[in-house]
Amino acid sequence: MIVVVAEKPSVGRDIARVLGCRTKGEGFLQGEKYCVTWAVGHLITLNDPHEVDPKYKKWRAVDLPMLPDDIGTKVIPKTRAQFSVIKKLICDKQTERVICATDAGREGELIFRLIYEKSGCNKPVDRLWISSMTDAAILEGFDTLKPASAYDGLYYSAACRSQADWLVGMNASRAFTLRYNALLSVGRVQTPTLAILVSRAKEIREFVPEGYFTVTADFGDYSGQWFDLNITEDKFASRIKSKETADSIAAKVKNKPATVASVTSEHKRELPPPLYDLTSLQREANKALGFTASKTLKVAQSLYETRKCITYPRTDSRYLPDDMAPRVQKTVDNLPAQYSALTTGIPRVDGALPHSKRVYDDSKVSDHHAIIPTPQRIDPGKLEKDEQALFDMVAKRFIAVFYPAYEYDAAKVITVSEEQSFKSTGRTVTAQGWKAVYPSKRDEEETALPPLENGSTRTVHSAKAKRESTKPPVPHTDASLLFSMEHAGKTIEDEELREQMKGSGLGTPATRAAIIERIIQVGYVARKGKALLPTQKGEQLISVVPPEIASPEMTGQWEKALTQIAQNKRDKKRFMDGIQRLTCFLVDFARGKAPDVFFEREAGKGGQRKTAVPKKNIGINCPVCGGQVQETDKAFGCAQWRNGCKFTLWKNALTRQGGPVLTGTIVKTLLEKGEVPGSTGKVTLEDGLLSFYRNGEEKPVLSVGVLYEKSTAKKAP
């Protein structure tokens, strides 16, 4: 018997159907030769810190950094039953071989290997590697199985990624949480991703708009914008600083003759955009359909797994291998009827599709090729609305890539009147090319200029000055953030390092959507329409962590290293040694160099507040133990509270009897002088009692014990 292990039940059932496995069991399907079972995503995970060592159950700074020799793994409790099913099947005496049929990628490899290791199985393993879930692709995959050892590098890369995230995330999150007494999640990918959003928010806040004026002249059958011949950059050449100057130019040329000083025309070609990888599909679906990155991945996964109408979506390639040409031809022929008019527009030679390096390039295909439709015939009407929209994007891009270039003549005319120069541009389309596939998405084309020659004359019918203003950067969206994550290395100033980081970025196509959702989930980012805006908590986190974890530089290097490990080009121990050094640095930074920053307490369910959070020291010592007094959003207390000091002054302790809300200034004066007079009375602090006296009264109306919990507050007799 050969046991096939898929990643999900839906995929397992498809494979079982193709292999003729029809007998149902608990968590598997049985046939004559094969038995197909499945995971439910991850069944095995790394141990929690307290499972590595009981002392880690309490979050204590003294126990950091946590650098165990072996983190170890555990079965995830809620899916333990399915793990038991797989373990029994693959370890059964009747089982001759095991086939790994989890998703063909880094995480899929990790899912299977952890199950295999945890079960103690030692049966030989083959690897199924397919890019689409059609019956033909599955059968072809089983005909071209490879030994699992061919993918050892991919597993080592996945294991290193998992352990690196554990070491950095667990240690840094604990270190900064303990430092600020606020639940702070820090990660090697999510933190620099957050930093991108925080940087953009800062740019927007600090942006100072600059006003300027432009002047447009109407020559009757065309118009032109004034520009300064001495300024070469277009966007600055037309800007006039003062209204007086702009009005003067407009008045000077109005109703005056004008002469065409120069006419130039340049023929231009725009090649079709390349096929989609996951990131580019997510970006364009966000722009065109308003989908979040996470939604695009979910819909694409459904089109791949359930509908079987697109190829594997979690890819980073935008090219196809050369040997796919026959299958591509069949795919074009089998597209739904609604695309027939577009497919007939593809130029062919002897009936064959064009074969170019812009589409086929083996050197640019890694684990998976670009996302394209499968050859399977489908009825788009049976797809869900979101599935239809995304499939349409994939299908049209697939068609457009075989179309010829979009071509046009770009004209530029300089017209002069009263020694003032005006520029006019126009575009005349000469070949629609691939843009015929997108009739509703054509660029807004400039109006074609009338036939003009040097020396042609016109009259300036009107000239108008208009006030303009520079615009701030726009907030990031899923689309722009995905682009920034993919090209994070481009922001690095060091030219040599920037060159080294080409092809690497923050996360992978398969993980970027989850990273965006994660920083929203932990309260660092909020969605407002399409915009992704950092919260105060998110901005404060970036202000306290070091650049080593907040910049894309190191994370990009890690992703590059993980790719090299997968390709057997880098030693995994060298990578993990670097991760341990970084972990130690982050813990030491949180202890010593992290600045004093106040984190607001977070609202929990029903508006209740969670976790008291200290502010920076207010500059005076605790009267009980000599520690520093710190301010939170509700109280003033001693920084040594973890060591047992219970000195507390609640800000609202006196308000129910008309007393003031305590402020940092009041508390500081109280601790220095013991008394603070005010407009409604005075506040005193003596012998462990905080008291409020109304004006003209000798006895306090309220006294509160400041060395104990709020519940001990009592009204004075």
Side-chain angles (χ1 to χ4, degrees), residues 508-519:
T508 66
T511 62
R512 286 174 188 139
I515 293 163
I516 294 173
E517 295 306 315
R518 171 64 179 167
I519 57 179

Side-chain angles (χ1 to χ4, degrees), residues 173-237:
S173 296
R174 288 193 177 202
F176 283 94
T177 293
L178 291 169
R179 170 66 179 82
Y180 295 102
N181 195 26
L183 189 57
L184 299 175
S185 175
V186 180
R188 67 176 186 91
V189 179
Q190 72 176 45
T191 304
T193 300
L194 172 62
I196 292 173
L197 296 174
V198 171
S199 176
R200 175 61 59 85
K202 183 180 178 183
E203 288 176 22
I204 295 171
R205 265 198 313 271
E206 295 179 352
F207 178 81
V208 178
E210 295 181 13
Y212 62 91
F213 295 84
T214 59
V215 174
T216 302
D218 179 9
F219 302 112
D221 50 354
Y222 70 101
S223 62
Q225 189 171 68
W226 178 92
F227 74 103
D228 187 339
L229 286 167
N230 298 314
I231 299 176
T232 56
E233 193 169 346
D234 284 352
K235 74 174 182 178
F236 295 115

Side-chain angles (χ1 to χ4, degrees), residues 274-283 296 312-319 368-371 397 486 509 512:
L275 296 167
Y276 287 125
D277 62 2
L278 177 58
T279 301
S280 59
L281 180 63
Q282 288 170 318
R283 288 173 52 210
T296 299
Y312 186 71
R314 298 170 185 257
T315 176
D316 61 356
S317 176
R318 304 187 73 172
Y319 295 85
H368 299 282
H369 56 69
I371 304 169
R397 177 59 62 87
E486 184 179 22
R512 286 174 188 139

Side-chain angles (χ1 to χ4, degrees), residues 527-546:
R527 286 191 191 278
K528 188 173 182 181
K530 281 189 178 183
L532 295 170
L533 305 174
T535 62
Q536 180 183 3
K537 182 182 180 183
E539 294 204 32
Q540 288 178 315
L541 177 71
I542 296 305
S543 74
V544 301
V545 297

Side-chain angles (χ1 to χ4, degrees), residues 350-370:
D350 296 327
L353 296 171
H355 193 99
S356 75
K357 273 284 188 180
R358 287 181 55 79
V359 180
Y360 300 98
D361 191 338
D362 288 335
S363 68
K364 294 181 179 178
V365 177
S366 51
D367 296 334
H368 299 282
H369 56 69

Side-chain angles (χ1 to χ4, degrees), residues 231-244:
I231 299 176
T232 56
E233 193 169 346
D234 284 352
K235 74 174 182 178
F236 295 115
S238 61
R239 294 180 182 179
I240 303 168
K241 291 185 178 180
S242 72
K243 184 177 187 300
E244 291 75 15

Side-chain angles (χ1 to χ4, degrees), residues 618-621 623 647 649 664-677 682-687 689-691 693:
I618 67 170
I620 196 163
N621 293 336
F647 172 75
L649 282 170
T665 301
I666 291 175
V667 170
K668 196 170 182 180
T669 304
L670 275 175
L671 294 177
E672 289 175 341
K673 299 181 179 179
E675 180 176 307
V676 180
K682 67 177 180 180
V683 178
T684 65
L685 182 62
E686 185 177 8
D687 297 329
L689 284 179
L690 174 70
S691 302
Y693 296 77

Side-chain angles (χ1 to χ4, degrees), residues 45-53 56-57 63-74 110 158-175 186-189 558 575-576 579-580 582-583 586-587:
T45 188
L46 293 176
N47 283 322
D48 290 324
H50 70 274
E51 293 165 325
V52 176
D53 190 322
Y56 295 143
K57 190 163 188 176
D63 293 327
L64 300 179
M66 301 176 289
L67 300 172
D69 293 331
D70 179 22
I71 297 173
T73 60
K74 64 178 179 180
L110 183 64
C160 285
R161 192 279 309 156
S162 178
Q163 292 167 25
D165 284 349
W166 192 99
L167 290 171
V168 173
M170 291 291 187
N171 282 284
S173 296
R174 288 193 177 202
V186 180
R188 67 176 186 91
V189 179
W558 292 342
F575 174 80
M576 293 307 300
I579 291 295
Q580 290 203 357
L582 174 70
T583 299
L586 291 172
V587 169

